[in-house]
Amino acid sequence: MRPPAVLNARRLGIDTCQEHVAYMRSDCAVCRSEGFGTRARIELRCGARRVVATLNVVYSSLLDEGEIGLSETAWAALGALPGQPVQLAHPAPLQSFAAVRAKIGGRPLDAAAAAGIVGDICAGRYADIDMAAFITACAGNRMDLAESIGLTRAMTAAGQQLRWDSPVVVDKHCVGGLPGNRTTLVVVPIVAACGLLIPKTSSRAITSPAGSADVMETLAPVMLDIATMKAVVGREGGCIAWGGAVALSPADDMLIRVERPLGLDSEGLLVASVLSKKIAAGSTHVLIDIPVGRTAKVRSPQAAATLAARLTGVGEALGLAVATLTSDGAQPVGRGIGPALEARDVLAVLQGDPAAPADLRQRALLLAGLVLEMGGKAGAGQGLALATTVLASGAAWAKFQAICAAQGGMRTPPRARFTHVLGVAHSGRIVAIDNGRLAQLAKLAGAPGAPAAGIDFQVRLGDEVDAGQPLLTLHAESAGELAYALAYAQSQEHLVTIGQHDL
């Protein structure tokens, strides 16, 4: 048996967005003798650790002879020291990918295939291009109920699972597609203040300008490990943490990283993503908000009913009580679109500010009331009144501050360095708003990567507006991003529809 190929590790300090990437010289003897080429998959071993990485070939003097460069993610996963020998080998064949090819060809995924795919994704055996193929194969409505159940079960089993000393553990979730819909940060403290357990793990933005975790991070730390999360929930009854930090559904976290640049949504993957994390977090009862609107993620009542049926069906198969609410998705919720701007709206609601966005307040109270009813703290039809009382009394605001303190201390949301007010082009009535284009505008301004960036949206459907009055204010961290976003806004004829004319 020939000795293993060995090169010395070098940390290159390259951020590859959590993908394991290795770099080898084009004239490297190991690269040539093993037949490694650009984009090849190679197995790296260092001590007891091993990872599978994607190879990039270097034609410059970046690396010395006998060195292998590692991205930040690969370096951390391998646990190498500078100059430490790393063994290289061809990875074992990716057997589960045959099921992905079969799915592309139209064959359903059975439970064993789903488990194999999820296991290989969690083990790092899937390159980003492999995961992109899987996501695309499942996109649209290409997964049936049985496939969703199998995939959800596999994703749940692949990560850590929390257990709580309570027979009832509640949660809520929104399927997304509605800018500014940051009800979680209001619902959690209301519900926790009523004595229910609500260990909320939230996602970062996938295709939106902000996820609940992005917004909460402007107010308190969200990267809680399991022990810290349990301590926060044990002390305050609830938390608002980033799900990726606790690895409750690691395959989903990896798939989301690839879904984000693809901009693809799949009903089957969405259901598996949401419910695997709820089950792994120890939830027994979950309320899911499904906004419906012409430019929302879910476009019709029929599509909402189909999604609701899949959510409840998968939940029932896996022992999770799921209730759904179809809500109005015709326009953004609140005024802010972007992490810090949405946090400002949340604080206004919790603090009882008379100028707080009424729609955000009302939507959060409705959801909190339904969760309280699901959890047995209020009778049927009585949850809204209880939630309203808790918010008005200041108990929810006190609970939110306590949760922030337990998670590491409350923060003040940042403010953008640059702003620009965009005026209404002509007088008339606001008759339509494009949620997708507003979200894109906020992202072009820098959200969510720049937490202070985004939009202050200053009109609502049905408003009578005059030419020149403020329509929205752009917030950006750099002059270049501000100009980029402004150019996009001025080029969009259907961002907002006023009467029979478009802005």
Side-chain angles (χ1 to χ4, degrees), residues 440-457:
Q440 179 66 13
L441 178 58
K443 289 192 289 184
L444 292 175
I455 300 170
D456 253 332
F457 193 58

Side-chain angles (χ1 to χ4, degrees), residues 105 159 187 216 219 244 264 297 316 321 424 470 491 503:
V187 171
M216 183 65 177
L219 295 166
L264 286 177
K297 181 181 291 185
E316 182 179 3
V424 172
S491 72
L503 176 68

